Amino acid sequence: MLPNGLNLRGWLYEFEGDAVNARRVVERALDLGFATSHLTLAFIENGDGNDAKAIAAMESGFTAYGAGLPAETSRIVAEGVFGDEVARRRAVGHVESLLASRTGHTPATLPYALMILGEPARALEVIQAEPTWSGIWELSLWHPRGLAARRLPQFAEFARRVGFAAAWDKYGPPDGCRKTKGGDYVCD
């Protein structure tokens, strides 16, 4: 199986709380050289109570996605996600300083970081403001940690602006989302 498919399956297992199968397929993806699978592994390790391993895995995975970002970004974000409130605030500040200095396309790792650092409103704002280099932010939006973003009042406008609403009108909404009588999509 392709390592990208293994990693995606690992995310799905992790989303469902099946750490055993998530670890099995993610480790296989890593064996095949798919370095971004470290992001998935980070959440598995965190779920197993291994925060030091979660930080190391997040740092490795974020580095794999973080081309063009300062070298220290991966460690700062990883410590912010799995560390204490001081580390979280430091990471948010670091991401915000990177956003303030960017022009053009935003690395998708930055809104991804904001989402998993507990700043969902800001993450949605960044995503819809300008194009990103990839869609990794979508993983954070549909991850259990992204529930807060999906429940925000501004999510309906976000869904319209990024094209989700049009796609859902055509193909149907994803599980946990529905269209209201007013025409907005809301997600649980």
Side-chain angles (χ1 to χ4, degrees):
M1 180 177 255
L2 296 173
N4 192 22
L6 288 167
N7 187 56
L8 179 58
R9 189 66 201 137
W11 275 116
L12 295 174
Y13 281 134
E14 193 272 331
F15 288 4
E16 296 166 358
D18 184 350
V20 171
N21 280 313
R23 183 180 297 279
R24 179 180 55 81
V25 297
V26 165
E27 286 178 351
R28 180 68 180 124
L30 288 167
D31 289 345
L32 293 169
F34 201 69
T36 58
S37 292
H38 285 285
L39 290 177
T40 319
L41 182 61
F43 289 103
I44 297 166
E45 294 291 2
N46 175 252
D48 286 348
N50 302 320
D51 286 342
K53 288 182 178 181
I55 289 170
M58 174 69 66
E59 183 176 3
S60 295
F62 207 83
T63 298
Y65 265 114
L69 295 175
E72 69 273 11
T73 299
S74 297
R75 183 74 179 175
I76 291 169
V77 169
E79 290 172 346
V81 172
F82 300 116
D84 61 15
E85 180 61 19
V86 172
R88 189 193 77 77
R89 280 186 271 136
R90 177 177 180 238
V92 170
H94 182 75
V95 170
E96 288 292 356
S97 71
L98 293 173
L99 287 168
S101 67
R102 305 286 310 171
T103 58
H105 287 73
T106 298
T109 48
L110 298 180
Y112 173 83
L114 288 169
M115 191 79 71
I116 63 175
L117 286 164
E119 299 292 329
R122 179 68 174 127
L124 296 183
E125 180 183 323
V126 170
I127 294 163
Q128 65 188 358
E130 61 182 295
T132 62
W133 292 348
S134 80
I136 187 164
W137 58 264
E138 291 182 42
L139 284 173
S140 63
L141 183 63
W142 299 108
H143 188 275
R145 289 181 180 230
L147 181 61
R150 297 189 309 268
R151 289 184 172 167
L152 289 170
Q154 59 266 46
F155 182 77
E157 178 62 22
F158 171 83
R160 279 191 290 281
R161 292 190 66 189
V162 299
F164 287 168
W168 297 343
D169 283 344
K170 185 173 182 177
Y171 301 107
D175 292 346
C177 298
R178 66 189 180 293
K179 193 170 191 174
T180 66
K181 291 179 184 179
D184 289 337
Y185 281 97
V186 295
C187 299
D188 303 323

